[in-house]
Amino acid sequence: MERFLIKGFDSKGVRGKINCSGAKNAVLPLMASSILFNDTITLKNVPLGTNDVKTMVVLLKSLGSKVQIIKKKKILKITNKKKHKLLVKYKYISTMRAGVLVMGALLGKYNKCITALSGGCSLGPRPIGFHLTGFKKLNCKYYLKQGYINILAKNGIKGGLYSFPKVSVTGTSNLIMASVLANGKTILKNISIEPEVLDLIKFLKGGGAKINFIGKRTIKIYGVKNLEGHSHEVIGDRIEAFSYLCTAAITKGKIKVDKINSKYLEAELKVLKNIGCNIKVSKYSIELSRKKKLKQAKIKTSPFPGFATDCMPMLMAVLTKSNGKSVIEEKIFTNRYMAAPELVRMGATINIKGSKATIIGKTKLNGADCISSDLRSTFAIILAAMAAEGTSCIRRVYHGLRGYSNLYNNLKKIGVNIKRKS
Ligand code: EPZ
């Protein structure tokens, strides 16, 4: 299995520019929603290098979609010539949580689907009760049989009213996809307003769906007969952008991230500014440099527009270089501190108590052998390795390759001393 060998910077930090890829968490629901269309849809700025996109391509093909990849132009064309299969096999869900996103699309199009129950992952249990309760409000019934959820709307999906008990990103996307072709009106309350969900809404409306906000987190959807295929450019990946900005924060370097709308990460940029980073934003690029000492921070993660849980592991790594005591409270997942033990092995002082992590800095980090356990922890460990004295060997980097396109080349491009070993 691929591993990275990273030698820490001994003097000046990263230098250079990164072009942000299309957002993984936007393109996956967009790809799933292709099932709802009778003709071809075209997605541009697709992060073809991420393994989750490759998995979603295989999943859609397994259902009967025709998928054309135009690699050089980062374009995906998806055509539905025939009725899809309605069985989503476990192997597609077990490796990629986002596989659940085809449930809403299959139900929306065919009033039926049989999907493997998604397993947990290292972030903790990944339940889908909100999704299933929402589908019931749309005239669906379901039962679990041998690890597969069988869902059916006998007389077709009917519009209904559903209020999410907690904000759920893929739950919101799933319920929207199940509602756009329904008989009648659906109202969804307490929805996610993550940029990736808004991108899905924009894409579906572009195909003729009738979706309107009637409150900050409330939408009304009138079902339509069918959707017209069209082209859509995937938004930039705000989590990837934040990850690369952190390379300059932790190594006292300077980096520019292009092709990202800075309004998608205002909460996160505010934290980086408050701890001592210089940040310059324009509409589609962000520049960060750091000369001063880093100060402590106290943050809580929350749904957009709050501080993103996906950015938390990378901030935790940066805060090991801050003076004083920083406190992070993770309010979304039960087990998101998987990078902490690896950072501690490199010399960090991090105490975890329940949902809170206390980071005492500033600590000197030393290269060590590390094991990555999930997508964002991989980047957190890479950040610590580039700021450590000596060389670190990071195993199971495949977790990182799920969500970061061209990870190795991008790190090399900004001056990281990195080698990869299979
Ligand atoms: C999405 O996961 C993202 N994945 C995650 O990104 C991200 O961390 C998460 O949203 C939160 O922002 C994709 O978009 C593919 P949730 P999702 O439903 O939709 C609980 C990454 O690193 N919950 O918003 O699965 C759940 O346990 C990945 O790119 C229920 O209890 O997350 C969690 O505590 C990791 N029942 C909270 O809600 C449900 O039915 C938020 O989960 C659904 C969720």
Side-chain angles (χ1 to χ4, degrees):
M1 268 189 266
E2 186 165 333
R3 56 191 195 281
F4 283 171
L5 296 176
I6 293 178
K7 186 176 177 305
F9 284 89
D10 41 25
S11 57
K12 69 175 179 51
V14 297
R15 286 282 181 287
K17 183 173 82 94
I18 293 285
N19 283 327
C20 224
S21 306
K24 163 183 89 84
N25 291 347
V27 75
L28 294 174
L30 288 167
M31 290 170 73
S33 76
S34 66
I35 291 168
L36 294 162
F37 291 77
N38 295 321
D39 45 9
T40 301
I41 67 120
T42 302
L43 296 175
K44 297 174 186 164
N45 192 33
V46 175
L48 292 167
T50 57
N51 289 347
D52 273 8
V53 167
K54 293 170 189 165
T55 305
M56 186 59 93
V57 167
V58 174
L59 166 49
L60 288 173
K61 283 182 172 174
S62 77
L63 298 177
S65 300
K66 183 171 164 291
V67 182
Q68 187 193 353
I69 298 171
I70 308 169
K71 211 166 160 87
K72 280 225 177 337
K73 293 186 179 165
K74 298 183 189 172
I75 286 179
L76 270 185
K77 283 181 176 293
I78 306 174
T79 307
N80 302 314
K81 285 238 179 294
K82 53 189 190 296
K83 187 175 180 318
H84 288 88
K85 293 191 189 104
L86 302 178
L87 170 68
V88 185
K89 293 196 178 119
Y90 179 64
K91 63 181 172 180
Y92 300 121
I93 305 272
S94 58
T95 55
M96 180 188 66
R97 154 91 181 168
V100 293
L101 283 161
V102 296
M103 287 163 90
L106 289 171
L107 283 171
K109 184 77 174 287
Y110 302 106
N111 305 319
K112 184 177 178 186
C113 80
I114 302 166
T115 312
L117 193 57
S118 57
C121 72
S122 52
L123 303 182
R126 301 298 292 274
I128 55 168
F130 298 166
H131 305 230
L132 297 173
T133 311
F135 293 144
K136 277 172 77 172
K137 301 283 185 188
L138 302 182
N139 189 39
C140 291
K141 288 194 174 7
Y142 66 84
Y143 62 91
L144 179 64
K145 189 174 167 200
Q146 292 167 320
Y148 280 79
I149 297 260
N150 293 255
I151 314 176
L152 174 69
K154 221 176 184 156
N155 307 313
I157 297 271
K158 285 194 175 51
L161 165 65
Y162 180 54
S163 180
F164 283 89
K166 239 168 99 175
V167 168
S168 166
V169 176
T170 50
T172 301
S173 299
N174 249 341
L175 266 293
I176 290 172
M177 289 190 276
S179 306
V180 288
L181 300 175
N183 303 313
K185 173 179 78 175
T186 298
I187 292 186
L188 299 176
K189 293 186 169 183
N190 197 26
I191 66 164
S192 149
I193 51 174
E194 263 65 4
E196 295 77 21
V197 172
L198 301 186
D199 204 34
L200 175 68
I201 291 173
K202 181 181 172 191
F203 173 62
L204 292 171
K205 288 182 79 165
K210 291 196 177 352
I211 307 170
N212 289 300
F213 273 89
I214 54 174
K216 182 173 184 259
R217 290 184 181 273
T218 305
I219 51 174
K220 181 163 30 174
I221 302 170
Y222 285 104
V224 294
K225 281 269 164 290
N226 54 47
L227 299 175
E228 298 290 315
H230 63 111
S231 287
H232 177 81
E233 171 136 356
V234 182
I235 58 169
D237 192 321
R238 60 194 168 104
I239 314 298
E240 183 190 43
F242 181 81
S243 303
Y244 284 106
L245 291 171
C246 286
T247 64
I250 200 168
T251 64
K252 286 185 95 170
K254 182 173 182 179
I255 193 163
K256 185 177 184 192
V257 179
D258 271 347
K259 298 178 183 263
I260 183 65
N261 187 333
S262 53
K263 75 174 189 338
Y264 294 156
L265 53 166
E266 283 175 348
E268 294 80 9
L269 293 177
K270 190 164 169 241
V271 170
L272 290 176
K273 217 175 271 176
N274 290 346
I275 63 173
C277 298
N278 302 313
I279 294 175
K280 269 191 271 173
V281 298
S282 66
K283 192 137 172 35
Y284 288 105
S285 77
I286 304 168
E287 200 166 335
L288 184 145
S289 60
R290 199 255 297 177
K291 292 192 178 64
K292 295 183 284 189
K293 287 191 169 47
L294 285 174
K295 291 178 275 188
Q296 65 202 41
K298 191 168 168 23
I299 68 124
K300 267 186 199 165
T301 62
S302 64
F304 192 86
F307 191 97
T309 174
D310 292 348
C311 293
M312 184 278 287
M314 290 76 85
L315 179 71
M316 179 167 65
V318 171
L319 292 175
T320 62
K321 305 305 279 183
S322 290
N323 293 302
K325 183 170 108 171
S326 296
V327 180
I328 293 176
E329 192 169 358
E330 168 55 44
K331 305 285 282 179
I332 308 284
F333 288 112
T334 55
N335 190 22
R336 187 123 224 193
Y337 293 119
M338 302 295 284
E342 303 305 305
L343 303 182
V344 168
R345 291 154 50 70
M346 298 167 94
T349 305
I350 304 175
N351 303 311
I352 310 282
K353 195 158 180 263
S355 63
K356 279 192 180 170
T358 305
I359 302 112
I360 311 289
K362 161 178 179 179
T363 48
K364 184 173 172 309
L365 299 174
N366 298 297
D369 280 1
C370 302
I371 295 189
S372 142
S373 55
D374 67 72
L375 169 53
R376 306 305 172 183
S377 293
T378 308
F379 209 102
I381 296 165
I382 288 170
L383 285 169
M386 60 175 77
E389 188 174 301
T391 300
S392 301
C393 173
I394 305 168
R395 289 176 169 73
R396 299 189 191 165
V397 290
Y398 63 84
H399 288 291
L401 304 180
R402 280 188 46 211
Y404 290 100
S405 280
N406 310 316
L407 179 58
Y408 174 79
N409 293 332
N410 277 340
L411 291 170
K412 251 187 140 32
K413 185 178 167 191
I414 57 176
V416 178
N417 183 335
I418 181 171
K419 290 188 184 69
R420 59 182 161 191
K421 299 264 182 206
S422 47

